[in-house]
Amino acid sequence: MAKQARAIQTRRTILEAAGAVFDEFGYESATIAEILSRAGVTKGALYFHFASKEELARGVLEAAITTEGVIPQESKVQEWVDVGMVLAHRLPKEPLLSAPIRLSADRRARELFGTSWAGWIDYLAEMLTAAKEQGELLPHVDPRQISVLFVSAWTGVEIVATAAAGDGEALEDRIAMLYDCFLPSIAVPGVLGRLDTAPDRGGRIWEAHKERARAAAEGDGQALQG
């Protein structure tokens, strides 16, 4: 078990280093040597997990589809909001989350290994379908169409926000505005009035998630001691 845990951690370390390098240099200019340097692992360790730079890029794209930190909500529309807001909170601090956008936006890279967009569209469409089944969406709403539009818009907002990083407006502020534009056209009025789309929503949910994780870890530790 300890050996398996070390292998998982090594793979994660390599992916995080690759994400940082892809995010900084782009796919074509990124080198295995730079990724090795940042990961602090041997060439053998890297090639044990990833046979090529292309496989590394695929791994980074797969890591992008994450809902870590999103706490289940009674309202599936609120949970849908939380996915985007938590991502907006985390992405500027985590190259492994921002690198997939750089890779997906690179036409040459897309030709080699696709994008992370399809996975996000599938996930969000599933969530909005559940919301519609709960009566939270207007009758005309097509969950998949909305998901395609929203992923496109979210990606565009992130790219523009990154380019204008010095204007003092955080990505969280812009994504909050994006939700405020989308939601009146898809959510029923009774749900719309209860939704929390404040710019700090993602940060609050992320901190609550970390507190739950700490409490769980402490409980496990006490159980082992007992």
Side-chain angles (χ1 to χ4, degrees):
M1 291 295 291
K3 185 176 181 180
Q4 184 181 21
R6 284 197 300 273
I8 292 171
Q9 182 56 52
T10 298
R11 187 179 190 278
R12 180 71 182 185
T13 298
I14 293 168
L15 277 177
E16 288 178 348
V21 174
F22 290 141
D23 197 39
E24 185 173 342
F25 297 104
Y27 179 75
E28 291 293 340
S29 298
T31 65
I32 293 293
E34 182 64 24
I35 293 169
L36 284 171
S37 175
R38 299 205 187 186
V41 302
T42 66
K43 186 179 291 187
L46 185 148
Y47 283 115
F48 175 80
H49 292 282
F50 303 97
S52 64
K53 188 170 78 168
E54 183 176 332
E55 276 198 16
L56 272 167
R58 291 182 187 279
V60 169
L61 287 173
E62 289 171 4
I65 314 300
T66 176
T67 56
E68 181 185 359
V70 177
I71 298 171
Q73 304 288 329
E74 183 177 347
S75 167
K76 285 299 175 184
V77 175
Q78 182 66 69
E79 197 171 328
W80 178 71
V81 170
D82 291 348
V83 170
M85 292 306 298
V86 169
L87 188 62
H89 175 73
R90 295 177 59 194
L91 186 144
K93 311 172 189 68
E94 300 183 39
L96 188 52
L97 295 179
S98 54
I101 295 179
R102 310 289 169 262
L103 293 172
S104 297
D106 182 327
R107 179 175 295 180
R108 170 61 177 154
R110 286 203 304 270
E111 292 173 353
L112 289 172
F113 39 74
T115 75
S116 61
W117 299 329
W120 276 118
I121 289 167
D122 288 343
Y123 180 78
L124 294 178
E126 183 179 336
M127 185 172 287
L128 286 179
T129 296
K132 190 166 186 178
E133 290 172 352
Q134 290 185 181
E136 296 185 81
L137 300 184
L138 295 168
H140 72 274
V141 172
D142 182 316
R144 186 158 194 87
Q145 287 182 353
I146 293 298
S147 297
V148 170
L149 288 172
F150 189 78
V151 169
S152 303
W154 201 106
T155 302
V157 168
E158 192 280 336
I159 290 172
V160 172
T162 299
D167 68 2
E169 191 169 61
L171 176 61
E172 292 164 286
D173 294 310
R174 296 188 181 208
I175 296 300
M177 287 190 286
L178 179 64
Y179 276 113
D180 287 342
C181 288
F182 258 83
L183 288 166
S185 66
I186 68 170
V188 299
V191 170
L192 188 62
R194 299 194 299 269
L195 296 174
D196 182 353
T197 59
D200 68 344
R201 172 73 180 182
R204 286 186 279 115
I205 293 294
W206 181 245
E207 289 304 316
H209 158 72
K210 291 198 295 184
E211 185 57 38
R212 286 187 176 195
R214 282 192 292 267
E218 290 173 1
D220 290 343
Q222 292 172 357
L224 289 173
Q225 290 176 4

